[in-house]
Amino acid sequence: MAATEKTSLVWLRDDLRLDDNPALTEAARLGLPLTVVYVLDEESEGIRPLGGAARWWLHHSLAALATHLEEKGSRLVLRRGPAGDIIRTLASQTGAGHLFWNRRYGLPERTIDAELKSWAEEAGIEATSFQANLLFEPWTVRTGAGGPYRVYTPFWRACLAAHDVRDPLDPPAELPASAASGRGVPASDALGSWNLLPHAPDWSGGLAATWTPGEDGAAQRLTDFLSGPADDYGTGRNIPGTEGTSRLSPHLRFGEVSPFRVWREIRRRFPHRIPADVGIFRSELGWREFCWHLLYTNPELATRNYRPEFDRFEWESLGKKELAAWQQGHTGYPFVDAGMRQLWQTGWMHNRVRMAAASFLVKNLLADWRIGEQWFWDTLVDADAASNPANWQWVAGSGADASPYYRIFNPVTQSKKFDAAGNYLREFIPELAGVEGKAVHEPWTADAPGYPAPLVELPESRERALAAFQKLKDA
Ligand code: FAD
């Protein structure tokens, strides 16, 4: 290659895949020597550093991605630091004439991308971005009055009515080599040097036993789900003791599977009519889109009440002991405890239990939803900048289209209804393994050595919450 020949630079972010990756496909089509980079940015203004479980996931996802890139003749360059600076330097070092990425939707990320685009223009580099991680980009879905949506159902209806979902792109057959002769191969950090994996103690055993981060793991989950649990998703999605949901959330979070691929797979399997259960699953993907729609117009969703009247809400300050009891699954309410222990062990919690565990924290313990949001951020492998705060605010009542304040999940009723045989409870709470029959839902009525007594009484704490919410309403 002549020293003056331009090269391409692809910056991968929340799109750690080769399949349906428009940035990568475009670079492959162009055929110029290619550098593919991932930047671990924990320094740029406003960027929220990943929690522990997500860091574990990222390590393994990047390792898988690097292998796939090598199989196609490319390699993954890893760099750490403020992303804007890193990309500018790398673009100059590699003589990039083209810069490609797939779009992100959080404000700090958009700011970095917009600044880079302006810089590239001045530097004579063609920067091109693509839609890859959302089916419906936030600014394309507008109410009749031209504003953003605040309620899910009309939002999703508008999405489906307004846009066709494009077909996913197949992965590139091969990628241009990355070495630019004369300039050398750009240096890469060693993945291990980023210390993304936990040590002393290493708490990741349960995560490793549960998940296969990377594109192959994502594809397998999608196949397994669509050829099994999808048929009965409407019912199965509520039963935490079974694998009734897709468990695609961390794969979608890191972009190991494209939502366009999921959409297409559904169409491919059900070309004539999408069964009702699969339709419900698709509408859950709509919730993901809605959460990003909310974050796009409310960049401070993780720290600020969406409904400002909640700024006056009088949360209780939670004692260390109570907080630890909730975090570690020792509240004395099995449904909440099983969920919190599932989260700690596997980095994931079933959606129905997430709602109950979150409701217990913000309503029965009257703790500020931000405390729970932060804990989930640290412990979920699918911790998502939009879905996590949007759902916490939904439970707290401070969010968009939120659960009404008087809806307080009763963890005992929930557990009797959705885990009638107690399989889920016994799986995650060894102290309850020997408790037989219905008593497993109310262990204080049985002999359950080692299992704690209830942290608060349900009727009393419910009344306290209702009074606090009523006060807000009356103010
Ligand atoms: P499935 O039932 O198979 O659904 C398919 C996909 O739809 C999911 O993978 C997810 O991408 C999307 N989805 C489903 N439900 C929701 C929802 N309520 N909101 C947004 N997207 C949804 N989801 C996250 O991805 N990241 C989070 O950080 C997160 N935090 C949450 C916090 C609380 C308090 C609650 C109540 C829910 C949270 N959720 C979050 C939503 C939901 O619990 C998970 O998306 C779901 O449990 C993931 O499991 P699954 O992939 O098997 O879901």
Tab-separated table of all heavy atoms in Angstrom, residues 225 233 237 244-250 252-253 281-289 291 348-356 358 376-377 380 382-395, ligand 1:
chain	number	residue	atom	x	y	z
A	225	PHE	N	-34.842	-19.775	22.268
A	225	PHE	CA	-36.080	-19.136	22.703
A	225	PHE	C	-37.169	-19.279	21.647
A	225	PHE	O	-38.295	-19.688	21.944
A	225	PHE	CB	-35.835	-17.657	23.019
A	225	PHE	CG	-37.093	-16.915	23.344
A	225	PHE	CD1	-37.787	-17.178	24.522
A	225	PHE	CD2	-37.620	-15.964	22.474
A	225	PHE	CE1	-38.969	-16.514	24.827
A	225	PHE	CE2	-38.796	-15.293	22.767
A	225	PHE	CZ	-39.473	-15.571	23.949
A	233	TYR	N	-44.996	-17.696	25.592
A	233	TYR	CA	-44.373	-16.552	26.279
A	233	TYR	C	-45.371	-15.776	27.144
A	233	TYR	O	-45.040	-15.349	28.256
A	233	TYR	CB	-43.739	-15.628	25.234
A	233	TYR	CG	-43.077	-14.397	25.823
A	233	TYR	CD1	-41.854	-14.493	26.464
A	233	TYR	CD2	-43.687	-13.138	25.728
A	233	TYR	CE1	-41.230	-13.364	27.003
A	233	TYR	CE2	-43.074	-12.011	26.261
A	233	TYR	CZ	-41.853	-12.132	26.894
A	233	TYR	OH	-41.239	-11.021	27.425
A	237	ARG	N	-43.670	-16.028	30.647
A	237	ARG	CA	-42.840	-14.880	31.023
A	237	ARG	C	-43.084	-14.438	32.466
A	237	ARG	O	-42.331	-13.635	33.007
A	237	ARG	CB	-43.088	-13.708	30.083
A	237	ARG	CG	-44.444	-13.068	30.306
A	237	ARG	CD	-44.701	-11.988	29.313
A	237	ARG	NE	-46.010	-11.413	29.492
A	237	ARG	CZ	-46.248	-10.114	29.475
A	237	ARG	NH1	-45.263	-9.259	29.316
A	237	ARG	NH2	-47.469	-9.666	29.608
A	244	GLY	N	-38.901	-19.107	30.881
A	244	GLY	CA	-40.013	-18.697	30.029
A	244	GLY	C	-39.736	-17.462	29.195
A	244	GLY	O	-40.550	-17.082	28.353
A	245	THR	N	-38.588	-16.823	29.431
A	245	THR	CA	-38.256	-15.611	28.661
A	245	THR	C	-36.973	-15.857	27.868
A	245	THR	O	-36.322	-16.890	28.031
A	245	THR	CB	-38.074	-14.389	29.587
A	245	THR	OG1	-36.908	-14.591	30.393
A	245	THR	CG2	-39.280	-14.185	30.490
A	246	SER	N	-36.604	-14.888	27.057
A	246	SER	CA	-35.491	-15.123	26.120
A	246	SER	C	-34.107	-15.022	26.757
A	246	SER	O	-33.158	-15.593	26.250
A	246	SER	CB	-35.566	-14.097	24.990
A	246	SER	OG	-35.240	-12.804	25.484
A	247	ARG	N	-34.002	-14.280	27.839
A	247	ARG	CA	-32.683	-13.963	28.451
A	247	ARG	C	-31.719	-13.347	27.436
A	247	ARG	O	-30.501	-13.563	27.474
A	247	ARG	CB	-32.068	-15.188	29.110
A	247	ARG	CG	-33.049	-15.787	30.105
A	247	ARG	CD	-32.456	-16.678	31.119
A	247	ARG	NE	-33.540	-17.198	31.965
A	247	ARG	CZ	-33.389	-17.675	33.173
A	247	ARG	NH1	-32.204	-17.713	33.716
A	247	ARG	NH2	-34.418	-18.099	33.864
A	248	LEU	N	-32.295	-12.585	26.530
A	248	LEU	CA	-31.457	-11.897	25.538
A	248	LEU	C	-30.947	-10.550	26.042
A	248	LEU	O	-30.131	-9.902	25.380
A	248	LEU	CB	-32.269	-11.667	24.255
A	248	LEU	CG	-32.387	-12.848	23.296
A	248	LEU	CD1	-33.385	-12.520	22.183
A	248	LEU	CD2	-31.030	-13.213	22.706
A	249	SER	N	-31.443	-10.105	27.207
A	249	SER	CA	-31.189	-8.714	27.606
A	249	SER	C	-29.712	-8.320	27.649
A	249	SER	O	-29.348	-7.263	27.115
A	249	SER	CB	-31.888	-8.385	28.932
A	249	SER	OG	-31.577	-9.340	29.918
A	250	PRO	N	-28.792	-9.119	28.232
A	250	PRO	CA	-27.401	-8.666	28.206
A	250	PRO	C	-26.825	-8.677	26.790
A	250	PRO	O	-25.987	-7.834	26.442
A	250	PRO	CB	-26.665	-9.656	29.114
A	250	PRO	CG	-27.578	-10.824	29.269
A	250	PRO	CD	-28.966	-10.348	29.014
A	252	LEU	N	-28.503	-8.023	24.056
A	252	LEU	CA	-28.985	-6.796	23.400
A	252	LEU	C	-28.253	-5.587	23.960
A	252	LEU	O	-27.893	-4.656	23.241
A	252	LEU	CB	-30.494	-6.641	23.608
A	252	LEU	CG	-31.371	-7.534	22.723
A	252	LEU	CD1	-32.795	-7.624	23.277
A	252	LEU	CD2	-31.401	-6.996	21.289
A	253	ARG	N	-28.033	-5.596	25.266
A	253	ARG	CA	-27.349	-4.465	25.917
A	253	ARG	C	-25.975	-4.201	25.276
A	253	ARG	O	-25.596	-3.060	25.031
A	253	ARG	CB	-27.206	-4.753	27.431
A	253	ARG	CG	-26.040	-4.093	28.153
A	253	ARG	CD	-26.202	-2.572	28.238
A	253	ARG	NE	-25.049	-1.899	28.775
A	253	ARG	CZ	-23.974	-1.519	28.084
A	253	ARG	NH1	-23.876	-1.775	26.789
A	253	ARG	NH2	-23.000	-0.873	28.669
A	281	PHE	N	-43.990	-10.885	22.969
A	281	PHE	CA	-42.527	-10.769	23.067
A	281	PHE	C	-42.037	-9.556	22.274
A	281	PHE	O	-41.207	-8.769	22.752
A	281	PHE	CB	-41.880	-12.067	22.556
A	281	PHE	CG	-40.389	-11.974	22.436
A	281	PHE	CD1	-39.596	-11.929	23.566
A	281	PHE	CD2	-39.779	-11.913	21.188
A	281	PHE	CE1	-38.202	-11.828	23.466
A	281	PHE	CE2	-38.400	-11.804	21.072
A	281	PHE	CZ	-37.621	-11.771	22.215
A	282	ARG	N	-42.565	-9.386	21.075
A	282	ARG	CA	-42.142	-8.240	20.265
A	282	ARG	C	-42.463	-6.926	20.957
A	282	ARG	O	-41.708	-5.954	20.872
A	282	ARG	CB	-42.841	-8.271	18.899
A	282	ARG	CG	-42.136	-9.119	17.916
A	282	ARG	CD	-42.387	-8.796	16.478
A	282	ARG	NE	-43.618	-8.069	16.158
A	282	ARG	CZ	-43.988	-7.775	14.928
A	282	ARG	NH1	-43.242	-8.162	13.913
A	282	ARG	NH2	-45.089	-7.117	14.695
A	283	SER	N	-43.596	-6.899	21.663
A	283	SER	CA	-43.945	-5.643	22.327
A	283	SER	C	-43.019	-5.382	23.519
A	283	SER	O	-42.847	-4.238	23.925
A	283	SER	CB	-45.416	-5.628	22.734
A	283	SER	OG	-45.639	-6.572	23.737
A	284	GLU	N	-42.384	-6.429	24.048
A	284	GLU	CA	-41.372	-6.194	25.096
A	284	GLU	C	-40.141	-5.527	24.494
A	284	GLU	O	-39.513	-4.669	25.120
A	284	GLU	CB	-40.978	-7.501	25.783
A	284	GLU	CG	-42.088	-8.130	26.603
A	284	GLU	CD	-42.631	-7.214	27.694
A	284	GLU	OE1	-41.853	-6.488	28.332
A	284	GLU	OE2	-43.854	-7.201	27.897
A	285	LEU	N	-39.814	-5.923	23.274
A	285	LEU	CA	-38.728	-5.215	22.582
A	285	LEU	C	-39.104	-3.744	22.421
A	285	LEU	O	-38.256	-2.857	22.449
A	285	LEU	CB	-38.464	-5.828	21.206
A	285	LEU	CG	-37.941	-7.264	21.183
A	285	LEU	CD1	-37.852	-7.760	19.742
A	285	LEU	CD2	-36.568	-7.366	21.853
A	286	GLY	N	-40.404	-3.521	22.284
A	286	GLY	CA	-40.910	-2.141	22.200
A	286	GLY	C	-40.654	-1.364	23.476
A	286	GLY	O	-40.381	-0.163	23.440
A	287	TRP	N	-40.707	-2.043	24.624
A	287	TRP	CA	-40.397	-1.356	25.884
A	287	TRP	C	-38.944	-0.895	25.902
A	287	TRP	O	-38.618	0.180	26.396
A	287	TRP	CB	-40.681	-2.268	27.091
A	287	TRP	CG	-42.102	-2.147	27.553
A	287	TRP	CD1	-43.119	-3.007	27.285
A	287	TRP	CD2	-42.669	-1.081	28.352
A	287	TRP	NE1	-44.282	-2.545	27.867
A	287	TRP	CE2	-44.026	-1.380	28.525
A	287	TRP	CE3	-42.143	0.082	28.923
A	287	TRP	CZ2	-44.885	-0.549	29.256
A	287	TRP	CZ3	-42.993	0.907	29.650
A	287	TRP	CH2	-44.343	0.593	29.802
A	288	ARG	N	-38.099	-1.732	25.350
A	288	ARG	CA	-36.675	-1.325	25.272
A	288	ARG	C	-36.546	-0.045	24.429
A	288	ARG	O	-35.853	0.894	24.803
A	288	ARG	CB	-35.864	-2.480	24.659
A	288	ARG	CG	-34.410	-2.151	24.406
A	288	ARG	CD	-33.643	-3.394	23.926
A	288	ARG	NE	-32.285	-3.052	23.577
A	288	ARG	CZ	-31.901	-2.698	22.359
A	288	ARG	NH1	-32.771	-2.657	21.371
A	288	ARG	NH2	-30.648	-2.375	22.129
A	289	GLU	N	-37.256	-0.032	23.304
A	289	GLU	CA	-37.208	1.151	22.433
A	289	GLU	C	-37.768	2.374	23.172
A	289	GLU	O	-37.235	3.477	23.078
A	289	GLU	CB	-38.041	0.891	21.168
A	289	GLU	CG	-37.624	-0.330	20.373
A	289	GLU	CD	-36.455	-0.089	19.418
A	289	GLU	OE1	-36.356	1.022	18.872
A	289	GLU	OE2	-35.652	-1.027	19.225
A	291	CYS	N	-37.845	2.945	26.396
A	291	CYS	CA	-36.910	3.429	27.425
A	291	CYS	C	-35.840	4.326	26.798
A	291	CYS	O	-35.487	5.372	27.351
A	291	CYS	CB	-36.249	2.255	28.151
A	291	CYS	SG	-37.415	1.298	29.159
A	348	TRP	N	-28.485	-11.543	36.845
A	348	TRP	CA	-29.766	-11.325	36.141
A	348	TRP	C	-30.890	-11.654	37.107
A	348	TRP	O	-30.719	-12.473	38.021
A	348	TRP	CB	-29.821	-12.268	34.930
A	348	TRP	CG	-31.010	-12.147	34.027
A	348	TRP	CD1	-31.146	-11.315	32.951
A	348	TRP	CD2	-32.226	-12.926	34.078
A	348	TRP	NE1	-32.368	-11.523	32.344
A	348	TRP	CE2	-33.044	-12.504	33.017
A	348	TRP	CE3	-32.701	-13.920	34.928
A	348	TRP	CZ2	-34.307	-13.043	32.770
A	348	TRP	CZ3	-33.968	-14.463	34.685
A	348	TRP	CH2	-34.750	-14.026	33.614
A	349	MET	N	-32.013	-11.007	36.946
A	349	MET	CA	-33.190	-11.344	37.744
A	349	MET	C	-34.398	-11.339	36.825
A	349	MET	O	-34.487	-10.517	35.901
A	349	MET	CB	-33.389	-10.304	38.860
A	349	MET	CG	-34.375	-10.726	39.942
A	349	MET	SD	-34.991	-9.353	40.957
A	349	MET	CE	-33.513	-8.666	41.634
A	350	HIS	N	-35.306	-12.251	37.098
A	350	HIS	CA	-36.526	-12.345	36.302
A	350	HIS	C	-37.339	-11.044	36.424
A	350	HIS	O	-37.410	-10.459	37.505
A	350	HIS	CB	-37.336	-13.536	36.821
A	350	HIS	CG	-38.492	-13.876	35.953
A	350	HIS	ND1	-39.700	-13.209	36.033
A	350	HIS	CD2	-38.632	-14.799	34.977
A	350	HIS	CE1	-40.519	-13.717	35.139
A	350	HIS	NE2	-39.898	-14.676	34.486
A	351	ASN	N	-37.964	-10.629	35.327
A	351	ASN	CA	-38.659	-9.334	35.322
A	351	ASN	C	-39.738	-9.216	36.398
A	351	ASN	O	-39.859	-8.193	37.065
A	351	ASN	CB	-39.266	-9.066	33.946
A	351	ASN	CG	-39.989	-7.738	33.913
A	351	ASN	OD1	-39.398	-6.688	34.155
A	351	ASN	ND2	-41.282	-7.775	33.649
A	352	ARG	N	-40.523	-10.276	36.580
A	352	ARG	CA	-41.593	-10.179	37.586
A	352	ARG	C	-41.005	-9.963	38.969
A	352	ARG	O	-41.523	-9.212	39.779
A	352	ARG	CB	-42.462	-11.450	37.555
A	352	ARG	CG	-43.475	-11.482	38.647
A	352	ARG	CD	-44.809	-12.008	38.194
A	352	ARG	NE	-45.448	-11.233	37.162
A	352	ARG	CZ	-46.193	-10.131	37.378
A	352	ARG	NH1	-46.364	-9.653	38.582
A	352	ARG	NH2	-46.769	-9.501	36.382
A	353	VAL	N	-39.887	-10.583	39.227
A	353	VAL	CA	-39.266	-10.467	40.537
A	353	VAL	C	-38.558	-9.111	40.660
A	353	VAL	O	-38.525	-8.515	41.739
A	353	VAL	CB	-38.302	-11.646	40.796
A	353	VAL	CG1	-38.019	-11.761	42.282
A	353	VAL	CG2	-38.889	-12.947	40.278
A	354	ARG	N	-38.027	-8.607	39.528
A	354	ARG	CA	-37.444	-7.251	39.560
A	354	ARG	C	-38.505	-6.260	40.034
A	354	ARG	O	-38.233	-5.381	40.851
A	354	ARG	CB	-36.957	-6.815	38.160
A	354	ARG	CG	-35.741	-7.542	37.695
A	354	ARG	CD	-35.193	-6.942	36.390
A	354	ARG	NE	-34.372	-7.938	35.715
A	354	ARG	CZ	-33.437	-7.696	34.824
A	354	ARG	NH1	-33.175	-6.455	34.461
A	354	ARG	NH2	-32.748	-8.663	34.267
A	355	MET	N	-39.719	-6.417	39.497
A	355	MET	CA	-40.777	-5.469	39.872
A	355	MET	C	-41.100	-5.590	41.358
A	355	MET	O	-41.259	-4.583	42.060
A	355	MET	CB	-42.039	-5.724	39.034
A	355	MET	CG	-41.852	-5.369	37.575
A	355	MET	SD	-43.396	-5.349	36.640
A	355	MET	CE	-43.765	-7.084	36.498
A	356	ALA	N	-41.177	-6.834	41.849
A	356	ALA	CA	-41.527	-7.040	43.259
A	356	ALA	C	-40.403	-6.571	44.180
A	356	ALA	O	-40.661	-5.925	45.211
A	356	ALA	CB	-41.834	-8.520	43.494
A	358	ALA	N	-38.102	-4.342	43.530
A	358	ALA	CA	-37.976	-2.880	43.459
A	358	ALA	C	-39.112	-2.219	44.244
A	358	ALA	O	-38.897	-1.247	44.985
A	358	ALA	CB	-37.999	-2.432	41.999
A	376	PHE	N	-28.726	-2.155	41.104
A	376	PHE	CA	-28.957	-2.934	39.889
A	376	PHE	C	-27.884	-2.606	38.845
A	376	PHE	O	-27.424	-3.479	38.119
A	376	PHE	CB	-30.352	-2.639	39.310
A	376	PHE	CG	-31.454	-3.501	39.879
A	376	PHE	CD1	-31.409	-3.981	41.182
A	376	PHE	CD2	-32.574	-3.833	39.105
A	376	PHE	CE1	-32.435	-4.776	41.709
A	376	PHE	CE2	-33.599	-4.629	39.607
A	376	PHE	CZ	-33.530	-5.096	40.913
A	377	TRP	N	-27.512	-1.339	38.770
A	377	TRP	CA	-26.484	-0.930	37.797
A	377	TRP	C	-25.190	-1.705	38.054
A	377	TRP	O	-24.502	-2.129	37.123
A	377	TRP	CB	-26.239	0.576	37.895
A	377	TRP	CG	-25.200	1.062	36.924
A	377	TRP	CD1	-23.882	1.323	37.191
A	377	TRP	CD2	-25.376	1.315	35.517
A	377	TRP	NE1	-23.233	1.717	36.052
A	377	TRP	CE2	-24.126	1.722	35.004
A	377	TRP	CE3	-26.473	1.230	34.657
A	377	TRP	CZ2	-23.937	2.050	33.661
A	377	TRP	CZ3	-26.271	1.555	33.311
A	377	TRP	CH2	-25.026	1.957	32.835
A	380	LEU	N	-26.322	-6.060	37.658
A	380	LEU	CA	-26.973	-6.684	36.489
A	380	LEU	C	-25.991	-6.827	35.327
A	380	LEU	O	-25.288	-5.851	35.001
A	380	LEU	CB	-28.117	-5.802	35.983
A	380	LEU	CG	-29.495	-5.874	36.642
A	380	LEU	CD1	-30.394	-4.768	36.075
A	380	LEU	CD2	-30.145	-7.243	36.439
A	382	ASP	N	-27.186	-7.068	32.427
A	382	ASP	CA	-27.874	-6.311	31.370
A	382	ASP	C	-28.080	-4.842	31.740
A	382	ASP	O	-28.868	-4.144	31.085
A	382	ASP	CB	-29.209	-6.979	30.992
A	382	ASP	CG	-30.241	-7.000	32.134
A	382	ASP	OD1	-30.166	-6.151	33.036
A	382	ASP	OD2	-31.130	-7.880	32.104
A	383	ALA	N	-27.369	-4.368	32.789
A	383	ALA	CA	-27.564	-2.978	33.252
A	383	ALA	C	-27.507	-2.016	32.070
A	383	ALA	O	-26.507	-1.937	31.368
A	383	ALA	CB	-26.503	-2.614	34.276
A	384	ASP	N	-28.582	-1.316	31.864
A	384	ASP	CA	-28.746	-0.544	30.645
A	384	ASP	C	-29.067	0.900	31.023
A	384	ASP	O	-29.905	1.145	31.897
A	384	ASP	CB	-29.903	-1.189	29.862
A	384	ASP	CG	-30.206	-0.512	28.561
A	384	ASP	OD1	-30.843	0.554	28.573
A	384	ASP	OD2	-29.811	-1.067	27.530
A	385	ALA	N	-28.390	1.831	30.369
A	385	ALA	CA	-28.502	3.243	30.751
A	385	ALA	C	-29.920	3.775	30.608
A	385	ALA	O	-30.292	4.757	31.259
A	385	ALA	CB	-27.547	4.077	29.903
A	386	ALA	N	-30.730	3.146	29.772
A	386	ALA	CA	-32.113	3.604	29.598
A	386	ALA	C	-33.094	2.718	30.367
A	386	ALA	O	-33.917	3.205	31.144
A	386	ALA	CB	-32.470	3.606	28.111
A	387	SER	N	-33.010	1.406	30.163
A	387	SER	CA	-34.017	0.504	30.743
A	387	SER	C	-33.957	0.469	32.261
A	387	SER	O	-34.993	0.321	32.909
A	387	SER	CB	-33.837	-0.921	30.208
A	387	SER	OG	-34.035	-0.940	28.825
A	388	ASN	N	-32.778	0.578	32.826
A	388	ASN	CA	-32.694	0.473	34.283
A	388	ASN	C	-33.378	1.663	34.966
A	388	ASN	O	-34.313	1.478	35.740
A	388	ASN	CB	-31.240	0.287	34.720
A	388	ASN	CG	-31.138	-0.252	36.130
A	388	ASN	OD1	-31.930	-1.096	36.553
A	388	ASN	ND2	-30.192	0.252	36.891
A	389	PRO	N	-32.973	2.896	34.690
A	389	PRO	CA	-33.666	3.997	35.350
A	389	PRO	C	-35.136	4.121	34.970
A	389	PRO	O	-35.977	4.441	35.808
A	389	PRO	CB	-32.880	5.245	34.909
A	389	PRO	CG	-32.096	4.840	33.730
A	389	PRO	CD	-31.852	3.371	33.858
A	390	ALA	N	-35.467	3.843	33.706
A	390	ALA	CA	-36.872	3.980	33.283
A	390	ALA	C	-37.748	3.006	34.067
A	390	ALA	O	-38.842	3.358	34.513
A	390	ALA	CB	-37.008	3.734	31.780
A	391	ASN	N	-37.259	1.786	34.251
A	391	ASN	CA	-38.060	0.803	34.983
A	391	ASN	C	-38.104	1.102	36.476
A	391	ASN	O	-39.133	0.890	37.120
A	391	ASN	CB	-37.527	-0.610	34.736
A	391	ASN	CG	-38.071	-1.195	33.450
A	391	ASN	OD1	-39.223	-1.623	33.376
A	391	ASN	ND2	-37.254	-1.170	32.403
A	392	TRP	N	-37.007	1.582	37.036
A	392	TRP	CA	-37.042	1.966	38.454
A	392	TRP	C	-38.042	3.100	38.669
A	392	TRP	O	-38.812	3.101	39.627
A	392	TRP	CB	-35.645	2.352	38.958
A	392	TRP	CG	-34.929	1.133	39.459
A	392	TRP	CD1	-34.046	0.354	38.762
A	392	TRP	CD2	-35.075	0.517	40.751
A	392	TRP	NE1	-33.646	-0.710	39.546
A	392	TRP	CE2	-34.249	-0.629	40.764
A	392	TRP	CE3	-35.823	0.809	41.885
A	392	TRP	CZ2	-34.157	-1.472	41.880
A	392	TRP	CZ3	-35.734	-0.020	42.995
A	392	TRP	CH2	-34.908	-1.147	42.986
A	393	GLN	N	-38.028	4.053	37.766
A	393	GLN	CA	-38.969	5.170	37.913
A	393	GLN	C	-40.408	4.698	37.675
A	393	GLN	O	-41.345	5.211	38.279
A	393	GLN	CB	-38.593	6.301	36.957
A	393	GLN	CG	-37.248	6.942	37.285
A	393	GLN	CD	-37.299	8.454	37.184
A	393	GLN	OE1	-38.231	9.088	37.668
A	393	GLN	NE2	-36.285	9.048	36.560
A	394	TRP	N	-40.549	3.717	36.821
A	394	TRP	CA	-41.884	3.148	36.583
A	394	TRP	C	-42.416	2.544	37.881
A	394	TRP	O	-43.554	2.785	38.288
A	394	TRP	CB	-41.787	2.085	35.475
A	394	TRP	CG	-43.108	1.435	35.140
A	394	TRP	CD1	-44.031	1.896	34.239
A	394	TRP	CD2	-43.652	0.249	35.711
A	394	TRP	NE1	-45.118	1.047	34.228
A	394	TRP	CE2	-44.915	0.031	35.119
A	394	TRP	CE3	-43.209	-0.664	36.666
A	394	TRP	CZ2	-45.735	-1.054	35.435
A	394	TRP	CZ3	-44.018	-1.743	36.999
A	394	TRP	CH2	-45.269	-1.930	36.382
A	395	VAL	N	-41.571	1.764	38.553
A	395	VAL	CA	-42.001	1.134	39.807
A	395	VAL	C	-42.272	2.198	40.871
A	395	VAL	O	-43.262	2.130	41.606
A	395	VAL	CB	-40.929	0.134	40.323
A	395	VAL	CG1	-41.314	-0.404	41.703
A	395	VAL	CG2	-40.758	-1.030	39.348
B	1	FAD	P1	-37.733	-10.992	27.648
B	1	FAD	O1	-38.989	-11.110	28.414
B	1	FAD	O2	-37.324	-12.141	26.826
B	1	FAD	O3	-37.875	-9.687	26.735
B	1	FAD	C1	-37.120	-9.505	25.538
B	1	FAD	C2	-36.356	-8.207	25.582
B	1	FAD	O4	-37.244	-7.106	25.679
B	1	FAD	C3	-35.426	-8.072	26.772
B	1	FAD	O5	-34.217	-8.748	26.553
B	1	FAD	C4	-35.278	-6.561	26.871
B	1	FAD	O6	-34.325	-6.091	25.953
B	1	FAD	C5	-36.650	-6.061	26.450
B	1	FAD	N1	-37.484	-5.808	27.623
B	1	FAD	C6	-38.334	-6.655	28.249
B	1	FAD	N2	-38.967	-6.029	29.261
B	1	FAD	C7	-38.496	-4.759	29.286
B	1	FAD	C8	-38.751	-3.627	30.096
B	1	FAD	N3	-39.647	-3.651	31.100
B	1	FAD	N4	-38.077	-2.497	29.845
B	1	FAD	C9	-37.175	-2.430	28.841
B	1	FAD	N5	-36.897	-3.458	28.040
B	1	FAD	C10	-37.548	-4.618	28.256
B	1	FAD	N6	-33.868	-4.465	31.312
B	1	FAD	C11	-32.641	-4.286	30.793
B	1	FAD	O7	-32.398	-4.705	29.662
B	1	FAD	N7	-31.675	-3.615	31.496
B	1	FAD	C12	-31.888	-3.127	32.750
B	1	FAD	O8	-30.989	-2.525	33.338
B	1	FAD	C13	-33.173	-3.340	33.340
B	1	FAD	N8	-33.440	-2.913	34.608
B	1	FAD	C14	-34.682	-3.140	35.149
B	1	FAD	C15	-34.961	-2.673	36.438
B	1	FAD	C16	-36.218	-2.878	37.022
B	1	FAD	C17	-36.506	-2.358	38.403
B	1	FAD	C18	-37.204	-3.575	36.295
B	1	FAD	C19	-38.557	-3.813	36.888
B	1	FAD	C20	-36.942	-4.031	35.006
B	1	FAD	C21	-35.698	-3.815	34.411
B	1	FAD	N9	-35.410	-4.262	33.103
B	1	FAD	C22	-34.164	-4.025	32.564
B	1	FAD	C23	-36.469	-4.808	32.239
B	1	FAD	C24	-36.649	-6.330	32.251
B	1	FAD	O9	-36.717	-6.811	33.571
B	1	FAD	C25	-35.540	-7.069	31.503
B	1	FAD	O10	-35.338	-6.502	30.225
B	1	FAD	C26	-35.886	-8.549	31.314
B	1	FAD	O11	-36.127	-9.156	32.546
B	1	FAD	C27	-34.732	-9.224	30.609
B	1	FAD	O12	-34.956	-10.596	30.506
B	1	FAD	P2	-35.242	-11.262	29.092
B	1	FAD	O13	-34.178	-10.885	28.132
B	1	FAD	O14	-35.450	-12.717	29.340
B	1	FAD	O15	-36.598	-10.572	28.680
